[in-house]
């Protein structure tokens, strides 16, 4: 096991002006499970391949433990990789597929048998050792691929979207298994995915990338509750955070935001957290509200009126335990370009109507086309710069 340090790691390809990876710096602690997440083409797989020695490094350094490994061949980096494709040998049994790295290294047969047995027990593959891959399910084949990596006892695991070929139900099961196995083995792991739910449920920390640039690296809770910018806010969470343009103004008891003619009071605790917002009084800002912070006010009769919005419901989606109410606010909506390099947010239509998603309890009796009062948990409001998209707080 070892610590992994990425220092100003960059990658450029001939014939392109924009780097695929730009000054990526992250410290991954010994035994940590770090997830690299982001939209397609953001540079996450490129970074993983550079760590693994499968892609040349244009600039910066990769350290494993106390060694800089930029010039090491892949086989000399003491890493094991698990890919999206299982890459199993179809003519070999599960036993021989798992044992293959040890057989190549000419490890003694008795030791191979013992180590394969230990790995098979960890991965619950004991009863499948004599089968060939064609007789296994997708989840079982993925565990065999992991077993082949685990048996080498590497210092670092690199996993490149290993669950993306599985169906949705199996992915949920397998991501729990992968996370549990990693915690049992305590091996430093860097895991790449485009699925933010996978990232949030598996990682000790999550590193979100966009256009080759690291946006934020933090624990899942911190990234969810304290996004560094509007891109993080819009990418993390399902449904995504609602983002609107609003004017920040002084009120009788403190600051307020004017959202399409409706006013919300900004609690003192939010002003303390977003300590730069006093500099934006009288200016347009972007405010963010998570769907779960917007509820049917009829079910919260004591909720202050200065923390409510009124709007018609344009769509109501029943999920059983709760309802997703899409309300139409007369306020400028905000769209985030996932693939662009510019962090600036973009207003949508000229009518300035924004669809806002609220999470109503299943006890709500609201119907489509009803005009509803929405109770807003203003204590969980987020503030961002309207031009750069960065959070209005001291880093």
């Amino acid at each position: 096991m070892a610590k992994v340090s990425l220092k100003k790691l960059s990658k450029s390809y001939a014939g392109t002006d924009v780097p695929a990876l730009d000054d990526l710096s992250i410290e991954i602690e010994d035994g940590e499970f770090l997830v690299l997440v982001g939209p397609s083409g953001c540079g996450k797989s490129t970074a993983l391949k550079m760590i693994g020695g499968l892609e040349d490094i244009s600039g910066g350094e990769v350290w494993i433990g106390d060694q800089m490994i930029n010039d090491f061949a892949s086989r000399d980096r003491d890493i094991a990789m698990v890919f999206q494709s299982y890459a199993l040998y179809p003519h070999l049994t599960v036993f021989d597929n798992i044992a293959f790295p040890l057989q190549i290294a000419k490890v003694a047969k008795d030791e191979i048998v013992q180590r394969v047995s230990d790995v098979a027990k960890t991965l619950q593959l004991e009863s499948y050792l004599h089968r060939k891959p064609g007789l296994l399910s997708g989840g079982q084949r993925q565990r065999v691929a992991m077993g082949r990596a685990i048996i080498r006892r590497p210092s670092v695991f690199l996993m490149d979207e290993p669950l993306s070929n599985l169906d949705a139900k199996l992915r949920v099961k397998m991501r729990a298994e992968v996370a549990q196995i990693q915690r049992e083995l305590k091996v430093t792991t860097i895991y790449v995915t485009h699925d933010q739910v996978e990232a949030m449920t598996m990682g000790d920390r999550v590193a979100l990338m966009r256009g080759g640039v690291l946006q934020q690296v933090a624990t899942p809770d911190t990234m969810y509750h304290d996004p560094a910018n509007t891109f993080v806010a819009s990418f993390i969470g399902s449904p995504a955070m609602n983002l609107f343009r609003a004017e920040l103004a002084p009120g009788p008891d403190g600051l307020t935001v004017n959202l399409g003619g409706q006013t919300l009071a900004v609690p003192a605790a939010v002003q303390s957290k977003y300590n730069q917002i006093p500099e934006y009084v009288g200016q347009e800002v972007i405010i963010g509200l998570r769907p779960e912070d917007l509820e049917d006010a009829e079910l919260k009769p004591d909720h202050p009126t200065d923390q409510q919005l009124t709007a018609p419901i344009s769509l109501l989606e029943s999920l059983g335990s709760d309802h997703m109410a899409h309300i139409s606010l007369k306020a400028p909506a905000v769209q985030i370009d996932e693939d662009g390099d510019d962090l600036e947010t973009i207003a949508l239509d000229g009518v300035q109507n924004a669809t806002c998603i609220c999470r109503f309890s299943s006890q709500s009796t609201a119907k489509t086309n009803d005009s509803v009062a929405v109770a807003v948990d203003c204590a969980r409001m987020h503030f961002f710069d309207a031009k750069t998209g960065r959070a209005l707080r001291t880093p």
Side-chain angles (χ1 to χ4, degrees):
M1 294 186 290
K3 177 178 178 178
V4 178
S5 299
L6 311 181
K7 301 180 180 180
K8 294 186 175 297
L9 198 60
S10 62
K11 177 65 179 181
S12 298
Y13 293 100
T16 60
D17 297 329
V18 179
L21 199 66
D22 191 6
D23 279 356
L24 177 63
S25 295
I26 307 177
E27 297 286 326
I28 302 116
E29 297 301 324
D30 187 3
E32 183 178 13
F33 194 130
L34 178 87
V35 180
L36 289 175
V37 67
S40 297
C42 71
K44 56 188 185 296
S45 290
T46 299
L48 198 77
K49 291 174 182 176
M50 292 167 74
I51 297 167
L54 304 180
E55 192 81 65
D56 291 335
I57 296 172
S58 300
E61 300 174 352
V62 177
W63 290 71
I64 295 181
D66 58 0
Q67 286 188 308
M68 187 179 78
I69 61 167
N70 286 37
D71 299 323
F72 285 31
S74 180
R75 63 180 178 273
D76 298 326
R77 296 191 179 199
D78 195 19
I79 60 171
M81 296 191 70
V82 181
F83 295 98
Q84 180 177 345
S85 60
Y86 313 125
L88 302 179
Y89 296 107
H91 62 289
L92 298 180
T93 63
V94 169
F95 180 97
D96 287 329
N97 266 284
I98 294 174
F100 188 77
L102 302 186
Q103 293 168 346
I104 293 297
K106 301 189 183 303
V107 175
K109 289 185 179 180
D110 289 347
E111 184 178 350
I112 290 176
V113 171
Q114 184 59 53
R115 286 170 66 173
V116 171
S117 176
D118 292 343
V119 168
K121 184 176 181 180
T122 299
L123 296 172
Q124 300 176 20
L125 289 171
E126 295 138 297
S127 59
Y128 304 100
L129 289 176
H130 298 294
R131 293 190 186 183
K132 292 184 178 179
L135 299 177
L136 303 178
S137 68
Q140 290 163 349
R141 286 197 292 269
Q142 187 60 72
R143 285 203 293 268
V144 175
M146 288 187 62
R148 188 172 55 193
I150 290 170
I151 202 165
R152 294 176 52 191
R153 297 176 181 171
S155 296
V156 180
F157 283 136
L158 304 180
M159 300 188 181
D160 193 2
E161 305 210 39
L163 308 183
S164 60
N165 285 335
L166 306 179
D167 63 58
K169 184 176 180 180
L170 186 54
R171 284 184 71 167
V172 172
K173 181 176 183 292
M174 282 300 299
R175 74 189 186 208
E177 290 184 7
V178 171
Q180 181 179 349
I181 291 166
Q182 191 276 336
R183 283 160 178 73
E184 289 175 357
L185 298 174
K186 296 182 173 62
V187 177
T188 309
T189 301
I190 305 172
Y191 185 105
V192 162
T193 181
H194 65 276
D195 185 337
Q196 58 96 8
V197 175
E198 207 166 274
M200 296 289 282
T201 54
M202 296 179 72
D204 296 321
R205 285 190 303 157
V206 177
L208 176 57
M209 299 182 64
R210 176 198 189 205
V213 178
L214 179 66
Q215 302 296 304
Q216 186 173 4
V217 57
T219 64
D221 279 350
T222 297
M223 189 165 285
Y224 187 83
H225 295 294
D226 298 312
N229 55 51
T230 50
F231 176 73
V232 179
S234 66
F235 192 89
I236 298 297
S238 181
M241 183 184 290
N242 298 294
L243 297 170
F244 318 100
R245 293 182 180 274
E247 184 181 343
L248 189 62
D253 300 314
L255 297 179
T256 64
V257 286
N258 187 321
L259 189 62
Q262 301 189 67
T263 300
L264 295 173
V266 182
V270 174
Q271 296 182 47
S272 176
K273 175 181 177 180
Y274 290 94
N275 57 343
Q276 295 178 348
I277 62 176
E279 304 169 23
Y280 287 77
V281 174
Q283 300 180 42
E284 187 179 66
V285 295
I286 293 172
I287 65 168
L289 292 165
R290 294 280 183 196
E292 61 267 27
D293 300 328
L294 300 161
E295 303 179 62
D296 187 345
E298 281 195 3
L299 301 179
K300 300 172 74 71
D302 298 327
H303 196 81
T305 56
D306 64 352
Q307 294 182 358
Q308 293 185 22
L309 296 169
T310 302
I313 297 177
S314 57
L315 176 66
L316 197 63
E317 299 174 299
S318 176
L319 301 179
S321 59
D322 48 29
H323 299 156
M324 292 299 172
H326 298 239
I327 64 173
S328 182
L329 290 175
K330 291 182 179 179
V334 174
Q335 176 182 341
I336 308 299
D337 180 9
E338 286 190 353
D339 299 323
D341 300 319
D342 191 353
L343 285 177
E344 185 172 347
T345 50
I346 304 165
L348 286 177
D349 58 42
V351 181
Q352 304 281 286
N353 284 336
T355 296
C356 173
I357 301 178
C358 314
R359 190 185 293 271
F360 285 3
S361 164
S362 59
Q363 297 176 349
S364 171
T365 58
K367 300 289 188 296
T368 302
N369 297 324
D370 285 354
S371 182
V372 294
V374 177
V376 182
D377 187 351
C378 289
R380 299 179 67 170
M381 191 182 295
H382 303 266
F383 283 84
F384 306 94
D385 186 287
K387 293 182 179 179
T388 66
R390 68 173 184 82
L392 296 181
R393 62 174 182 267
T394 304

